[in-house]
Amino acid sequence: MPSDLHDDTAARDFVDFVVKAIVDNPDEVEVTQSVDDLGVLITLKVNKADMGKIIGKGGQTAKSLRILLRVMGSKKDARYNLKIIEPEGQAA
């Protein structure tokens, strides 16, 4: 795995940009990035009211974000994963 992934924020910035354009509370969007043996993990937190918009009908929005990250990763010979954190107080 390329060592420059620690400094590469293109995927994180991409997720941040797209999610903020979709949600009603863009100022509450938190996107973090960490690198481990499995690749790059992008963690997303949004307002509880915006979870439905991020997941999308039948999970299509989240699936599309993951597909786009996979394409970005393939160009850099890396693996990008997206983890969506459920807001506190939300029924699982």
Side-chain angles (χ1 to χ4, degrees):
M1 179 179 310
S3 61
D4 63 338
L5 289 176
H6 290 281
D7 301 324
D8 182 20
T9 61
R12 186 192 70 204
D13 294 343
F14 167 75
V15 171
D16 187 63
F17 176 78
V18 171
V19 170
K20 283 182 177 179
I22 295 172
V23 298
D24 291 330
N25 301 291
D27 51 326
E28 295 185 42
V29 172
E30 287 181 47
V31 182
T32 57
Q33 175 175 310
S34 61
V35 179
D36 61 17
D37 296 339
L38 298 174
V40 179
L41 176 64
I42 310 236
T43 307
L44 172 64
K45 291 182 188 176
V46 296
N47 183 295
K48 184 164 70 170
D50 290 324
M51 278 301 285
K53 291 185 178 196
I54 295 305
I55 303 300
K57 193 173 200 170
Q60 287 301 308
T61 304
K63 183 178 179 181
S64 297
L65 276 171
R66 288 183 172 111
I67 289 170
L68 290 169
L69 282 173
R70 195 175 314 133
V71 170
M72 287 180 76
S74 69
K75 291 184 178 224
K76 296 182 182 224
D77 206 22
R79 181 174 178 164
Y80 290 111
N81 296 302
L82 177 65
K83 180 177 182 180
I84 301 170
I85 305 290
E86 283 199 42
E88 296 294 322
Q90 176 133 342

